[in-house]
Amino acid sequence: MKLNLRQIEVFRAIMLSGSISGASKLLFVSQPAVSRLIAYTEQRLGLMLFERIKGRLYPTPEARRLFVEVTALYQNVQRVNEVADNLAENREGQLRLACSPSLGQSLLPRAIARFRQLHPEIRIVLQTQIPAAMEQSLLTQQVELGVAYMPVNHPSLATRPLYENRIVAVLPAGHPLAGRRQVTAAELAREPLIGYSADIPFGMLVHKLFGAEDAQPEPRIEVQQAHVACALVQAGAGVALADEITVAGPIWSDVVTVPIADTVNAPVNVFHLQLQPLSRLAQAFIDVLVTLDLPAGA
């Protein structure tokens, strides 16, 4: 074995603190002891993990890659400790969930509140994660259910559609288009638009809504999340596109939503391991999601 737990612990402490002295304080050992152990670790691995430049310690690319795996290991250890705590304290049960950031401010609070009414003794752990992180959390069983926009395509994950969740126009109250029964994408393209990064799922949907490349507007402001776009509309910074579930989350004063002609959907799905039986708690939470009272068309 090239690495033992003590070597991993010292390596992690250096990565977290950024220095030998910081690691020694974290571990309550001397600096020479930390230096000797990390030098021995590099020798065993045949890799240089750190370089000293102008008196400061910098991790190599190999160290950064190794740290990803070490972090996952510590997360799993934390999970073991949490299970042990639950057993020791005789808790009735625990449900671990992940969701995309926007849903963490709209759908999930409502669903969890309803679930808590039905199961007040259950402990819930909710993590907000980007799709790639959520996928890893599901595959490593750090969470049992993930709720997100768009599909997470992995052969080991099962997908259950929850809501169609239409994209609508979000306008300041008093805007000339606010009183319309519906607006077109072309009309919105002529407005000061709050847009989204093209490399995120919601940004891809918005791109699809506007159609051909020559019809794509140039956003005046670019954001990553729909609830941020709604807040900007509320502040009078422009108009935006958002999904119905996000708009139905916090109370957006002085904001009006208008349907879009020929709109697209930002479908919400729940994900879990394909070949792993769901717990009764997870099944009950999915039932809450399915029966939750949402705005028409969501």
Side-chain angles (χ1 to χ4, degrees):
M1 182 182 296
K2 291 186 176 183
L3 282 178
N4 59 37
L5 290 177
R6 184 56 175 171
Q7 291 168 309
I8 292 172
E9 184 180 34
V10 170
F11 167 71
R12 177 174 179 268
I14 297 174
M15 291 294 290
L16 290 175
S17 65
S19 67
I20 296 293
S21 61
S24 71
K25 292 175 183 177
L26 282 176
L27 301 174
F28 300 101
V29 297
S30 68
Q31 293 185 37
V34 172
S35 296
R36 284 195 300 270
L37 189 54
I38 201 63
Y40 176 71
T41 301
E42 289 179 324
Q43 180 186 356
R44 291 284 295 165
L45 291 174
L47 286 173
M48 180 178 289
L49 298 175
F50 300 96
E51 291 187 26
R52 189 173 293 278
I53 303 173
K54 295 183 179 180
R56 293 193 60 184
L57 208 61
Y58 291 89
T60 63
E62 292 78 10
R64 295 185 186 279
R65 175 65 184 89
L66 186 62
F67 186 57
V68 173
E69 301 302 322
V70 169
T71 299
L73 172 64
Y74 269 78
Q75 289 172 341
N76 287 332
V77 170
Q78 181 183 10
R79 173 68 179 138
V80 170
N81 286 329
E82 288 175 356
V83 171
D85 287 343
N86 289 339
L87 293 173
E89 296 175 20
N90 197 28
R91 291 175 180 155
E92 292 295 327
Q94 177 174 273
L95 181 61
R96 298 182 65 87
L97 309 169
C99 70
S100 52
S102 290
L103 294 179
Q105 298 201 22
S106 53
L107 175 65
L108 265 294
R110 298 172 64 192
I112 290 173
R114 174 60 179 152
F115 184 81
R116 289 276 299 144
Q117 291 173 353
L118 301 172
H119 307 279
E121 75 284 0
I122 300 304
R123 180 172 183 260
I124 297 173
V125 178
L126 175 64
Q127 302 177 20
T128 54
Q129 298 178 327
I130 62 173
M134 183 185 300
E135 180 180 295
Q136 285 303 306
S137 292
L138 288 163
L139 294 173
T140 57
Q141 300 186 51
Q142 295 174 48
V143 300
E144 188 170 7
L145 296 176
V147 186
Y149 300 116
M150 309 292 289
V152 175
N153 296 315
H154 192 285
S156 296
L157 296 180
T159 302
R160 176 170 176 172
L162 291 174
Y163 317 111
E164 291 183 350
N165 193 29
R166 297 178 306 181
I167 293 179
V168 296
V170 185
L171 309 166
H175 190 279
L177 297 177
R180 298 273 294 277
R181 294 184 60 183
Q182 68 176 19
V183 296
T184 66
E187 288 173 319
L188 293 173
R190 294 191 289 269
E191 298 292 327
L193 187 66
I194 300 162
Y196 300 90
S197 302
D199 58 347
I200 63 173
F202 199 81
M204 296 174 189
L205 286 175
V206 170
H207 188 279
K208 178 181 176 182
L209 183 103
F210 284 106
E213 288 299 326
D214 59 0
Q216 296 294 323
E218 184 67 32
R220 305 294 177 85
I221 303 171
E222 185 177 288
V223 299
Q224 294 282 327
Q225 297 164 357
H227 65 270
V228 177
C230 290
L232 285 165
V233 174
Q234 187 179 44
V239 306
L241 298 165
D243 62 285
E244 288 179 307
I245 289 177
T246 293
V247 177
I251 299 173
W252 305 105
S253 59
D254 301 320
V255 164
V256 174
T257 61
V258 179
I260 303 171
D262 301 319
T263 191
V264 297
N265 296 328
V268 176
N269 304 280
V270 61
F271 309 96
H272 58 84
L273 282 177
Q274 182 84 258
L275 301 178
Q276 182 78 21
L278 285 175
S279 68
R280 288 183 298 172
L281 293 177
Q283 291 278 14
F285 191 78
I286 291 175
D287 291 342
V288 166
L289 287 170
V290 170
T291 58
L292 202 62
D293 184 25
L294 291 174

